[in-house]
Amino acid sequence: AEDGYKLWLRYDKIDNPVLIEKYRQLIKGYSFKGNSPSIKVAEKELNLALNKLLDCEIQTLDNLRSNVILAGAHKNITLNLPEEISNKLKTIGDEGYIIKTFETEGKRITLITANADIGVLYGTFHFIRLLQMQSDIDNLNIVESPLIKLRLLNHWDNLDRTVERGYAGFSIWNWHLLPDYIDPRYKDYARANASIGVNGTVLTNVNANSLVLTKQYLKKAAALADVFRPYGIKVYLTARFSAPIEIGKLSTADPLNPEVRKWWKEKAKEIYELIPDFGGFLVKANSEGQPGPQNYGRSHSDGANMLAEAVEHYGGVVMWRAFVYDNNVPEDRAKQAYNEFKPLDGKFKDNVLIQVKNGPIDFQPREPFHPLFGAMPETPLMMEFQITQEYLGQGTHLVYLAPLFKECIESDTYAKGAGSTVAKVIDGSLDNHALTGIAGVSNIGNDRNWTGHLFGQSNWYAFGRLAWNHNLTSEQIAEEWIRLTFGNKNEIVEIIKNIMMPSRENTVNYMTPLGLHHIMGWDHHYGPAPWIKDKPRAEWTSVYYHRADSNGIGFDRTVNGSNAVSQYHSPVSEIFNSLEKCPEKYLLWFHHVPWDYKMKSGKTLWEELCNHYYAGVDSVRSMSKKWKQLEGKIDSELFDHVSMLMKIQEDEAVWWRNACVLYFQTFSKLPIPEGFEKPD
Ligand code: GCW
C-alpha cells in the first residue's frame, strides 16, 4: 500500500522494460567530486534513486569510464570541460546548475555541475526527476537557476504543536523532544523541499510566541537548522514585537528606545552563535491584535528597521508583513495595507522585505492582485501565497492551486507601462532589486501523507516549482507532479490532469463566483455563511463584503464607492472602475450590480450567479466521475482516500451552492432559473 509518505520522491522501479535497460546502459556509475555535506546528501540521494528506479546496484566509480554521471562544483571537476559550460556558469549564480552530456577522450559523460555544491544537489534532484518521468537522457543540455532568491515555507505552527489553519494533523516540529531527538521526518522534509528548490523555512506561526526566542527553544531550532543545512535550507523565526517585555524583562518594546534596540542586537548575537546561517525574522505587527511599533506611536518602518539593524551584520533579513487592517479605521479593508505602506516606500533598510499577500483581503478563492505590487518601487516586495487551503475547502476539497498562483503573478500592474507584471515585481526585474522573495503558508502536518488530502502535495510541489521558475505553466507542473506521484501511464496522467486543471475554477464557482468574497463561516472559515453579521469587527462579517440588498449585490469599490480602484495604475484602475470593462470574474469585488443587469452572456446577473453556483456543483460531480475511471488502475489505498474525500467535496459543493443561492434569493426575490434542481 502507498500511504503517500514519500511524496514525489517515490523512486518506484521503472515499469518500461526497454527503457530501464536503456537507462542501465547509459548509467554505469557515478562519481561525485567534493566532500561537503551537500555533496554527500546528493550522492546518497542519487544512489537511493538509481538503485530503486533501475532496480540494480549502481555504485560510485573511482576512474571515469563511459556512461557515468560526473557531479560536482566546477572547481572540483578536473576534466577539461567545453568552454560553453564555463561561460554559462557565470550566469547562474550559486544555486543554478548545468546538466550536460558530452564526450571526452572517447567517453560519454553526463555532467552535473554548478558554482556551488548546493547547485549540484539541485541538479541531482533534477536528473532524478528526469528518470522518474521516463524522459530521454541521451543528450542533455539543461541550464537552470532560480528567478527568486528567497523561496520560503511559512509554517503557522505553534509551540504546543497545534497549527493555525492547518488541516493535516499537528506540527511536524516535536519541540518537546528537540534538540536531542531528531525525527527522521525532518530529513525527509528537507529532501522534499530541496528537490523543488525551497531554500528557507519559517518554523513558527506569525501569531508568534516570544518563547521561541529563549535559549531553550533556540537550541531546538538550531538542531533543525543542522538537519536542513546540507539541503540548502535556512531556518527563520517569527519575532513577536513585544518579546523584549515578555522574555527580556524590559518595560517597553518601543523600537526607538535604546535599551530595546540593544536587547534585539544581543538576541541576534545569541541566535547567530547557535545558528550561524540563521535567515532572519518574519514579523506580523499591528495586525489582528498583534503588538507592533504603532503601540508606541512609531511606524512600520521604525519597527522593521530596528530588527533589520540587529541582523544585518550577519547577513540576516527581516520580512515584515503588510497584512494589516483595523476596524477603527473608517476605510474599506481592501485599501488599508496600501494606505499604510505606500507612504513608507524608500524608508526601509536594505535587508527588509515587505511580505504582501497575493490579494488585498485574505487568500480568498479569487482576488484581484494586491495593489501594493507595483506601488513600492524602492522596496523589495515578497509574495505571500497560502498553500494551506484556509478558504478553499481546507483538508477535504481537491483544489490545485497553481492556476491561482499563476493568475496573480501574471497580472499586469502597469506600474511601468504594459508588461509590468506582478512576477517582475517579485523577481526584482522591474525595479532592479537583488533581494527578492516568495513565501507559501505551509499545508504540512504530521499526517502520514504530510498534507491530509493527497492532492495537497501537489500544491506544496507547485509552490516550490513556481518559486524557482514562475514561467512554468500550471499544466507542466501538474503533469510533473502526477507522473512523480502516480507513474507515467498516459491514460492515468490525462485523467488526473483533467481533474486538477479546472479544480480551482470549480471551487470559485461553488463558493464565491463573479468576484464575491469572504462569505464563509465565522472564524473557522470552512463552510458557507453569507449571513454573518454583528461580530466584534465589521470586517469579520460576511455582509460587509457582499452588500446584497433588494437592488443588487457587490462591494462598490469604484470612484463612487470606496475608490479602491484608485490604488491601481492606469489603465487597470479604469478597467476595474468600469462596469462594462471590469472582467466578470472580479465584477462583484468592484461593483454593486443590479440583479437584472445584463451580463456578457445576455443573462441577468441573478441568472448568471445561479449558473455559476450550479456549474460549480456539476463540475465536482464530473470530477468524481473522472476519478472513478481510475479504480483498479492506481494504488487502491490512494484511490479510496481520494474517493472518500471527493464525496465530502461533492456534498459540500451542494451545501455552498444551496446556502448561497437561497440566501441571496431573499434579496433578489427572483426564481431559481428553469431546469436547475431545487435547492433545499
Ligand atoms: O486569514 C487570517 C487567518 C489567521 C491568520 C491571518 C494572518 C496567522 O484567518 O488565522 O493568522 O490571516 O495571515 O496573519
Side-chain angles (χ1 to χ4, degrees):
E2 165 58 54
D3 63 19
Y5 178 80
K6 291 182 184 169
L7 299 161
W8 45 87
L9 303 176
R10 293 171 43 143
Y11 307 156
D12 289 342
K13 181 180 167 185
I14 307 261
D15 56 5
N16 173 337
V18 178
L19 191 66
I20 197 170
E21 207 34 58
K22 186 168 175 200
Y23 281 163
R24 285 173 185 155
Q25 293 310 319
L26 290 175
I27 309 170
K28 292 286 184 200
Y30 54 81
S31 174
F32 276 80
K33 303 294 177 193
N35 45 30
S36 71
S38 295
I39 290 295
K40 293 211 172 102
V41 297
E43 173 162 2
K44 217 171 152 200
E45 193 72 33
L46 188 67
N47 178 282
L48 173 77
L50 290 179
N51 291 344
K52 290 199 167 258
L53 287 160
L54 308 191
D55 192 27
C56 66
E57 289 274 306
I58 299 203
Q59 294 292 354
T60 181
L61 293 171
D62 292 337
N63 292 320
L64 273 196
R65 45 180 285 198
S66 206
N67 293 330
V68 299
I69 295 159
L70 173 62
H74 186 226
K75 63 173 193 298
N76 294 327
I77 306 273
T78 46
L79 220 64
N80 263 342
L81 297 180
E83 201 181 334
E84 52 157 321
I85 294 188
S86 341
N87 288 339
K88 279 186 187 147
L89 279 167
K90 293 190 186 113
T91 66
I92 60 171
D94 269 359
E95 294 181 307
Y97 55 86
I98 293 171
I99 308 179
K100 170 105 184 135
T101 317
F102 69 99
E103 294 229 350
T104 180
E105 299 161 15
K107 294 171 188 146
R108 183 186 165 279
I109 310 280
T110 301
L111 176 74
I112 303 176
T113 194
N115 291 309
D117 288 347
I118 185 62
V120 179
L121 177 66
Y122 288 149
T124 302
F125 273 116
H126 188 138
F127 181 74
I128 294 171
R129 183 161 73 229
L130 294 174
L131 303 179
Q132 288 176 283
M133 293 178 63
Q134 307 193 355
S135 318
D136 191 349
I137 58 160
D138 284 354
N139 201 3
L140 296 172
N141 189 6
I142 294 168
V143 182
E144 282 276 337
S145 61
L147 297 177
I148 296 177
K149 197 168 168 200
L150 309 180
R151 306 175 300 278
L152 269 53
L153 289 185
N154 285 183
H155 290 267
W156 284 357
D157 294 18
N158 299 314
L159 300 183
D160 66 3
R161 295 191 75 179
T162 56
V163 180
E164 179 147 357
R165 313 302 177 186
Y167 314 103
F170 288 92
S171 170
I172 58 174
W173 317 132
N174 192 333
W175 296 107
H176 178 58
L177 294 186
L178 281 165
D180 298 316
Y181 184 83
I182 301 298
D183 190 322
R185 195 167 204 159
Y186 304 149
K187 200 175 82 187
D188 288 332
Y189 169 88
R191 289 172 58 229
N193 278 317
S195 76
I196 52 176
V198 168
N199 67 1
T201 178
V202 184
L203 300 175
T204 44
N205 191 354
V206 289
N207 290 330
N209 185 332
S210 300
L211 259 190
V212 78
L213 298 178
T214 58
K215 170 96 19 40
Q216 195 189 358
Y217 274 91
L218 290 173
K219 282 188 185 153
K220 298 170 192 276
L224 290 172
D226 290 343
V227 178
F228 301 158
R229 191 165 296 113
Y231 294 90
I233 298 168
K234 284 187 181 178
V235 157
Y236 300 73
L237 294 171
T238 45
R240 185 164 161 88
F241 204 78
S242 49
I245 303 173
E246 286 150 13
I247 58 169
K249 302 205 175 83
L250 299 187
S251 58
T252 174
D254 180 350
L256 298 191
N257 177 302
E259 287 298 307
V260 173
R261 297 178 85 85
K262 187 163 151 252
W263 186 87
W264 280 109
K265 279 196 178 150
E266 279 166 8
K267 186 48 76 181
K269 183 160 179 277
E270 183 188 348
I271 296 175
Y272 279 95
E273 273 163 14
L274 288 163
I275 312 173
D277 56 352
F278 177 64
F281 295 122
L282 169 64
V283 188
K284 171 174 177 178
N286 294 119
S287 166
E288 300 186 329
Q290 296 297 313
Q294 293 179 336
N295 299 26
Y296 307 95
R298 314 296 185 195
S299 68
H300 284 286
S301 49
D302 292 330
N305 290 342
M306 170 191 64
L307 292 174
E309 194 179 278
V311 294
E312 73 182 334
H313 168 69
Y314 311 94
V317 299
V318 170
M319 297 164 292
W320 191 272
R321 293 176 89 228
F323 178 69
V324 297
Y325 61 97
D326 187 341
N327 193 42
N328 300 314
V329 177
E331 179 63 286
D332 175 3
R333 171 174 171 190
K335 292 178 71 181
Q336 292 186 23
Y338 177 103
N339 289 348
E340 286 268 346
F341 280 88
K342 168 132 179 88
L344 300 177
D345 191 25
K347 301 220 163 92
F348 293 96
K349 286 181 75 82
D350 289 347
N351 58 333
V352 176
L353 300 110
I354 300 301
Q355 183 166 311
V356 184
K357 288 187 182 181
N358 56 286
I361 298 288
D362 192 10
F363 299 137
Q364 296 300 295
R366 169 166 282 133
E367 299 193 26
F369 69 92
H370 200 300
L372 274 174
F373 293 114
M376 295 181 68
E378 304 291 315
T379 312
L381 296 191
M382 260 181 99
M383 173 64 72
E384 179 175 315
F385 282 131
Q386 199 179 41
I387 308 172
T388 190
Q389 293 167 228
E390 176 178 356
Y391 298 99
L392 288 122
Q394 303 185 354
T396 50
H397 294 206
L398 189 163
V399 188
Y400 173 52
L401 294 175
L404 185 162
F405 301 157
K406 286 289 283 187
E407 180 176 275
C408 174
I409 54 187
E410 283 175 352
S411 302
D412 199 341
T413 70
Y414 282 87
K416 289 188 172 167
S420 309
T421 56
V422 172
K424 287 188 186 165
V425 175
I426 60 170
D427 73 14
S429 59
L430 190 69
D431 302 305
N432 252 318
H433 291 295
L435 180 59
T436 55
I438 181 168
V441 179
S442 153
N443 61 350
I444 301 168
N446 69 352
D447 274 10
R448 288 205 303 179
N449 72 3
W450 302 80
T451 55
H453 199 306
L454 176 78
F455 279 76
Q457 296 181 0
S458 73
N459 294 328
W460 177 8
Y461 185 84
F463 169 76
R465 297 290 288 133
L466 281 174
W468 180 275
N469 179 5
H470 55 66
N471 295 315
L472 293 171
T473 67
S474 303
E475 191 161 352
Q476 273 173 303
I477 297 170
E479 169 134 4
E480 281 182 14
W481 179 80
I482 298 164
R483 289 180 184 277
L484 304 181
T485 307
F486 293 97
N488 287 284
K489 292 213 176 64
N490 286 332
E491 184 204 350
I492 292 174
V493 174
E494 282 310 304
I495 293 174
I496 300 177
K497 205 160 52 171
N498 287 332
I499 288 172
M500 288 168 74
M501 286 307 294
S503 60
R504 183 272 184 138
E505 200 63 42
N506 298 347
T507 301
V508 169
N509 278 334
Y510 62 75
M511 288 186 177
T512 51
L514 297 175
L516 286 173
H517 51 288
H518 214 288
I519 55 172
M520 68 292 150
W522 159 246
D523 204 26
H524 53 71
H525 298 174
Y526 188 58
W531 44 82
I532 297 290
K533 51 179 175 224
D534 303 327
K535 289 295 168 193
R537 299 170 69 147
E539 324 96 314
W540 289 349
T541 68
S542 304
V543 297
Y544 173 87
Y545 298 94
H546 65 67
R547 310 205 162 196
D549 57 27
S550 56
N551 297 321
I553 180 171
F555 196 129
D556 185 355
R557 294 191 165 107
T558 68
V559 294
N560 303 317
S562 82
N563 200 17
V565 293
S566 68
Q567 296 184 335
Y568 293 94
H569 293 273
S570 180
V572 184
S573 50
E574 289 85 7
I575 293 171
F576 287 163
N577 188 57
S578 154
L579 183 57
E580 292 75 39
K581 290 193 198 131
C582 181
E584 287 189 348
K585 62 182 179 184
Y586 302 133
L587 190 66
L588 306 179
W589 187 284
F590 289 111
H591 297 269
H592 189 77
V593 184
W595 294 112
D596 61 359
Y597 176 75
K598 269 257 158 27
M599 303 287 285
K600 299 206 170 82
S601 62
K603 297 196 166 63
T604 65
L605 170 65
W606 168 249
E607 289 165 340
E608 188 79 22
L609 191 67
C610 292
N611 266 351
H612 278 273
Y613 275 112
Y614 277 82
V617 170
D618 288 348
S619 57
V620 177
R621 288 179 180 152
S622 69
M623 176 161 96
S624 305
K625 283 206 193 92
K626 285 182 198 141
W627 185 256
K628 288 207 179 78
Q629 294 170 22
L630 296 171
E631 186 158 19
K633 296 187 177 145
I634 60 170
D635 178 272
S636 65
E637 192 177 313
L638 293 188
F639 177 81
D640 291 342
H641 162 81
V642 176
S643 301
M644 289 185 280
L645 291 170
M646 273 192 185
K647 174 75 176 75
I648 297 174
Q649 184 173 2
E650 201 179 313
D651 291 347
E652 293 184 348
V654 172
W655 177 32
W656 268 93
R657 180 198 69 190
N658 290 357
C660 294
V661 166
L662 290 173
Y663 170 77
F664 292 133
Q665 194 182 35
T666 65
F667 299 96
S668 78
K669 309 253 191 281
L670 292 165
I672 307 293
E674 297 268 318
F676 287 151
E677 69 192 25
K678 235 178 112 235
D680 53 30

